[in-house]
Amino acid sequence: MAQTDLGFFSETQRSNWVRLRTMILLRWFAICGQLVAINVAQRLFDLQLELGLCYMAVGVSVVGNLVAIFVFPENKRLSETENFLMVMFDLLQLCFLLYLTGGLNNPFSLLVLGPVTVSAAVLTLRSTLILGVTAFLLVTAMVFWHLPLRTSDGAILRIPDLFVFGQWAAISIAILFISIYARRITREMHSMSDALSATQMALARAQKLNDLGGVVAAAAHELGTPLATIKLAAAELAEELTDRPDLYDDARLIRDQADRCSTILRSMGRAGKDDLHMRHAPLVEVIREAAEPHQGRGKDIMIEEAPAPGGSAMQPHILRRPEIIHGLRNLVQNAVDFARSRIWIEANWDETSVSIRIIDDGQGFPPDLIGRIGDPFVRRRRAESDRRVRPEYEGMGLGLFIAKTLLERSGAVLSFANGTDPALSGARQSERRGAVVEVVWPRAAIVPERRDARGALGQNRPIEI
């Protein structure tokens, strides 16, 4: 699979994305909520609380926020350790307040899940495990040790032991479940973000190369006339200077160098200016252009074309969009990587659709991964066989994702399967027994309208290099 030069962020680097100001703002919200809860419990419900200790716990948070505001710059981003300490402090401060206000008899004990969720979404697995275990131990301790909630007449407010156990079980399960849930979702989002960044880079690189080829082609076209004039003038001078060998050799050198310049320019670009004819090409030619970089890798690549039932005998001209060529190229590369010796590319079309099937004679996709092919970081076909066939292969699993994303942007629908029939013995298996990737476009999405098929030369497009 195609690899990318994109440097992906590690978990530790991602934790540095969180600004100190964000954590300070969240803590201010928590402080306000705690002060409101304490005052409502005392004044409205007339509960007897350890107000001194409660206000001390809240005051510590206030002091911590003020110190962070005045000591650190406004754009300060927290490191992994600083994030861990901030979240751990919030967890300990909250559990201390719950200890002072009834433990698990306090309905606000569910707020313990807040710091655990933040750690699962932001911090590394090690930090998340430490915070999750700490939260579980503190919640368990509050079942047995806490200051009771008392009314003004001395009555103790508490829920039945069965409900206390239920509260403990619910919070403990929620700590585990929400941590796993938040962490998996966050990792999935990060993986998708990284992969989409790689896709954008690949598409930008393909577009830049395509534009650069247009500039080179335009230069070859524009310089053709002056080079021909130089060559003609040099040839005439050479005829006139046959009696002066030194000048005759110079004239021939000028002519030869003009020929060389023409050859170089022709090799760098195949067309004239930004030729609108080059914006589309026959289906097989686009396939051949996509497969061309992999023709010399020791595997036979065979391209077969035929109309589908009801289709015209003439193959369609399709758009030469960079995402189509680059996406097909990645699919061909993947097939070449895992094929034994041969790859087949089948092109079919009819009045409503255009399809391309890429088949190899390798071992195919693992059945347990077929449903996930095209997701970022699916790394393998068959792990053990890959190591035997291609011990140097260390793909990141982005090739098929990039190909799938680029081709879907062009309107295609991709499907993945294996050509192997498990009901047949090895001798009776089809030669095309490897992985099968089918790309299907609606005809309107890839075949230009007829009135655009005979365009004229367009103006060169400015690009940035």
Side-chain angles (χ1 to χ4, degrees):
M1 299 179 187
Q3 297 186 37
T4 175
D5 295 332
L6 178 66
F8 298 105
F9 291 102
S10 64
E11 287 183 319
T12 304
Q13 289 173 313
R14 284 199 172 93
S15 65
N16 294 346
W17 291 356
V18 181
R19 292 190 307 159
L20 176 61
R21 282 291 184 268
T22 301
M23 301 299 289
I24 290 174
L25 182 61
L26 292 175
R27 186 176 287 174
W28 281 127
F29 281 122
I31 289 170
C32 292
Q34 291 167 0
L35 289 175
V36 169
I38 291 171
N39 282 279
V40 168
Q42 185 204 10
R43 299 176 185 274
L44 186 61
F45 296 104
D46 202 22
L47 298 180
Q48 302 301 308
L49 304 175
E50 295 290 339
L51 290 179
L53 293 175
C54 290
Y55 284 125
M56 181 192 74
V58 177
V60 171
S61 288
V62 173
V63 171
N65 262 8
L66 294 176
V67 170
I69 289 173
F70 290 109
V71 171
F72 297 101
E74 187 172 351
N75 60 351
K76 164 75 174 176
R77 294 189 181 274
L78 299 174
S79 67
E80 163 70 17
T81 302
E82 291 168 340
N83 258 319
F84 171 75
L85 294 176
M86 288 279 288
V87 177
M88 179 62 79
F89 172 83
D90 291 337
L91 176 64
L92 295 175
Q93 188 260 1
L94 176 61
C95 288
F96 180 62
L97 272 179
L98 291 174
Y99 165 78
L100 297 174
T101 55
L104 296 189
N105 295 284
N106 188 332
F108 290 105
S109 57
L110 287 173
L111 293 176
V112 170
L113 299 176
V116 175
T117 304
V118 171
S119 69
V122 176
L123 302 181
T124 60
L125 178 61
R126 176 175 174 272
S127 299
T128 300
L129 288 175
I130 293 174
L131 281 161
V133 171
T134 302
F136 172 76
L137 293 177
L138 291 173
V139 168
T140 303
M142 283 189 291
V143 173
F144 306 101
W145 299 287
H146 57 268
L147 298 182
L149 287 173
R150 297 180 183 274
T151 61
S152 57
D153 57 3
I156 297 178
L157 294 178
R158 57 174 299 171
I159 59 178
D161 291 342
L162 180 61
F163 285 93
V164 171
F165 173 78
Q167 185 89 326
W168 170 83
I171 294 175
S172 300
I173 294 172
I175 288 173
L176 178 63
F177 174 76
I178 291 181
S179 296
I180 296 175
Y181 180 85
R183 186 168 184 81
R184 287 297 299 270
I185 293 297
T186 303
R187 286 176 62 85
E188 186 77 15
M189 292 173 61
H190 289 164
S191 296
M192 187 63 66
S193 176
D194 288 341
L196 287 174
S197 296
T199 302
Q200 293 298 328
M201 290 178 65
L203 181 58
R205 183 172 63 245
Q207 184 65 56
K208 182 170 290 188
L209 291 174
N210 185 65
D211 291 340
L212 186 59
V215 171
V216 173
H221 180 71
E222 298 292 348
L223 292 175
T225 299
L227 286 172
T229 303
I230 293 171
K231 179 181 176 181
L232 178 61
E236 291 178 351
L237 281 174
E239 291 178 1
E240 296 292 335
L241 298 171
T242 53
D243 57 339
R244 301 183 62 181
D246 53 339
L247 297 179
Y248 175 77
D249 290 340
D250 290 341
R252 289 193 58 183
L253 179 62
I254 293 173
R255 186 186 64 183
D256 294 342
Q257 293 302 310
D259 282 338
R260 184 183 177 194
C261 288
S262 299
T263 303
I264 292 172
L265 288 172
R266 279 196 301 270
S267 67
M268 294 175 65
R270 299 179 180 178
K273 295 177 69 173
D274 185 16
D275 192 347
L276 299 183
H277 292 286
M278 298 303 294
R279 295 185 183 176
H280 51 80
L283 174 61
V284 172
E285 293 305 316
V286 174
I287 296 173
R288 187 171 287 113
E289 181 179 356
E292 184 178 9
H294 307 294
Q295 291 282 1
R297 295 181 55 192
K299 310 288 177 67
D300 294 330
I301 300 178
M302 294 180 291
I303 301 176
E304 304 172 354
E305 77 276 5
S312 171
M314 180 179 296
Q315 64 173 297
H317 284 230
I318 67 171
L319 297 172
R320 292 182 64 254
R321 294 169 58 182
E323 53 263 50
I324 294 176
I325 295 174
H326 195 79
L328 291 175
R329 185 167 295 163
N330 272 18
L331 293 179
V332 173
Q333 176 175 347
N334 189 74
V336 172
D337 285 342
F338 292 97
R340 288 187 173 90
S341 61
R342 191 167 296 176
I343 297 94
W344 295 267
I345 304 177
E346 301 174 353
N348 303 103
W349 61 88
D350 56 25
E351 297 304 318
T352 60
S353 64
V354 176
S355 67
I356 296 174
R357 299 175 78 229
I358 300 174
I359 310 169
D360 62 63
D361 60 352
Q363 305 221 359
F365 298 114
D368 60 314
L369 289 184
I370 285 183
R372 295 172 52 207
I373 292 173
D375 289 347
F377 308 112
V378 176
R379 294 174 178 265
R380 61 189 179 90
R381 283 274 191 96
R382 298 181 187 273
E384 294 302 325
S385 62
D386 288 353
R387 281 193 285 271
R388 291 194 300 267
V389 176
R390 295 188 62 220
E392 80 286 357
Y393 183 71
E394 294 293 341
M396 295 185 66
L398 283 176
L400 285 177
F401 173 82
I402 292 174
K404 185 172 183 288
T405 303
L406 292 178
L407 293 171
E408 286 178 345
R409 283 184 55 171
S410 69
V413 176
L414 277 74
S415 59
F416 302 90
N418 285 325
T420 304
D421 187 348
L424 299 178
S425 63
R428 298 170 59 198
Q429 291 282 3
S430 170
E431 186 181 13
R432 306 185 185 192
R433 59 182 176 272
V436 180
V437 181
E438 185 173 28
V439 188
V440 181
W441 289 271
R443 190 180 179 96
I446 195 174
V447 178
E449 298 181 11
R450 185 174 299 275
R451 65 173 178 269
D452 295 332
R454 292 289 183 261
L457 290 177
Q459 295 299 317
N460 294 334
R461 290 172 292 173
I463 65 170
E464 296 179 1
I465 300 177

